[in-house]
Amino acid sequence: MTDDTKGGKPGKGPFDSDSATARGVARGLTNYGDIGFSLFLRKAFIKGAGLSDDALARPIIGIVNTGSSYNPCHGNAPQLIEAVKRGVMLAGGLPMDFPTISVHESFSQPTSMYLRNLMSMDTEEMIRAQPMDAVVLIGGCDKTVPAQLMGAASAGVPAIQLVTGSMLTGSHRGERVGACTDCRRYWGRYRAEEIDAVEIADVNNQLVASVGTCSVMGTASTMACITEALGMMVSGGASAPAVTADRVRVAEHTGATAVAMAASRLTPDRILNGKSIENALRVLLAIGGSTNGIVHLTAIAGRLGIDIDLAGLDRISRETPVLVDLKPSGQHYMEDFHDAGGMPALLRELRPFLHLDVLTVSGRTLGEELDDAPPPFKQDVIRTAAAPIYPVGGLAVLRGNLAPGGAIIKQSAANPKLMEHEGRAVVFEDAEDMARRIDDDALDVTADDILVLKRIGPTGAPGMPEAGYMPIPKKLARAGVKDMVRISDGRMSGTAAGTIVLHVTPESAIGGPLAYVQNGDRIRLSVARREIALLVDDAELARRTAANPITRPTADRGYRKLFLQSVTQADQGVDFDFLRAGVTNDTVPKK
Ligand code: FES
């Protein structure tokens, strides 16, 4: 061990410390106005837990524990922490786990996105507040990994991501099922009265067959893959299922890697830059990733002062094929992706599109990691660029008078017959209005209409809920309608599929054009022309705007007040304006 990894700078006494060079337990001392006393007191307290001076002289590796009874996606956190600790100690470090907020999609009211920024602040501040030379971030469920990467990027301490891994698939009456594409498919069948109450209860027992994150290419899997592409995870760390020996070995390797990162001061700003963000965008497109991925990646990049240009994203989407055959764009599950070689196999296929000189958590470049990746073998989950599952990227960016700041559609999971479509708007003023009327047999709606849902943007709900996946009105579902064009300023789960326009910016709750759409207006969607147009003339829109002035939502107190005052729009990552790095120092993708 080198001197600079020992607790405190060598000095005259055991409690002398220099705050500028302090390492280990001497980092970031509590301020009593007497540095020596602060270190003396800190050591006295931690020795109450039985730690020796030898242990306290080691580099400290913090481990963020997001285990929670409310979060089955993180149900293997105890085993992972044990394995990370083993890796840290084998490499000569002292592991210290600590809790932060844990956010699960189904246990977050009003919505998990509302809490993502709070979790990122918790992560950032606890990394900064407690002494650690590096930190292992254990996350997995949709909002947790972006929250941790955002917080770690701002905290500036060497950080490495470990995901909990995907859940196993289940079996329902001979059919393989997994959360949550199949959850939506079965619920749709139940709404259409194709299956009965007994069967929907049966499948409810099978959709989530173990702890771990959703088993398709939803947001959790998307974030795991793009984190590996960013270089913030050990090679091959994205795909091992939660309950496998591979996942535990990844955890041990992560712990050992964190010790090496502490020694070399491999901070996030040395790994995360315009090139690595662009690599992550390529991967997001090539995996048919969740639309949420672009929002989260924008927020992570913003913490480093990097802007993501939506027009540039659309340009690289036109030249990046979807190669991964996973639901909802394809047919397989995350465990199949792992068996097919996982991210190293995909990155090797994408090699011509990637910046290979970027650094990863291993201290080696992405190109060096790929040179050492296991050799390819015959499989049918990760396609070659010559035989893609979809010829261009999974996402397309739309613009027009309905979305001057842009909107997103997941074209790889949309119905090709609806991607060029003009129809009559059937408008719901907010989520409650939709819940009240969508299944009313008296609702004036046909399969050719376009469903419009307002006030589910960043401030509208608030927290931009995943309500953009609007249900097909029951009377149409019963008649066999499976998809319709749907438009909102909200998000949808990465596990969902359909011809669904999301993230309309600016949102309706702050007076974006979506606020002024009325029943019966004509709307035109053209994915080929990247257009989303409200076919109402400018004078009429101006009249509606003047007649219905809109004020930004507010709250009287607490986190909700902070959220509503500070949250940015989708094109800025829905981060808080004061958490973004002050100055823009790069814009990606490059022209
Ligand atoms: Fe946690 Fe899907 S609900 S990953």
Side-chain angles (χ1 to χ4, degrees), residues 72-80 162-170 208-215 237-251 334-335 338-339:
C73 298
H74 296 194
N76 59 340
Q79 294 99 308
L80 294 184
L162 171 65
V163 293
T164 53
S166 59
M167 62 183 67
L168 298 180
T169 51
V208 178
S210 75
V211 298
T213 52
C214 285
S215 53
S239 58
V243 295
T244 59
D246 274 354
R247 175 53 58 200
V248 178
R249 276 189 287 272
V250 167
M334 210 47 194
E335 59 199 75
H338 181 62
D339 292 343

Side-chain angles (χ1 to χ4, degrees), residues 71 73 103-106 140-142 167 179-180 212-214 219-221 495:
N71 196 342
C73 298
V103 178
H104 183 279
E105 290 300 295
S106 289
C141 196
D142 295 13
M167 62 183 67
C180 230
T213 52
C214 285
T219 304
S221 302
T495 64

Side-chain angles (χ1 to χ4, degrees), residues 406-427:
I408 298 282
I409 186 168
K410 188 174 186 175
Q411 55 181 339
S412 58
N415 181 345
K417 293 196 183 109
L418 289 174
M419 292 210 289
E420 305 297 315
H421 184 77
E422 184 185 317
R424 186 184 66 139
V426 175
V427 177

Side-chain angles (χ1 to χ4, degrees), residues 8-32:
K9 189 181 179 185
K12 292 191 204 110
F15 304 108
D16 287 343
S17 181
D18 176 342
S19 57
T21 58
R23 297 283 180 266
V25 75
R27 289 173 67 103
L29 290 166
T30 311
N31 191 353
Y32 302 113

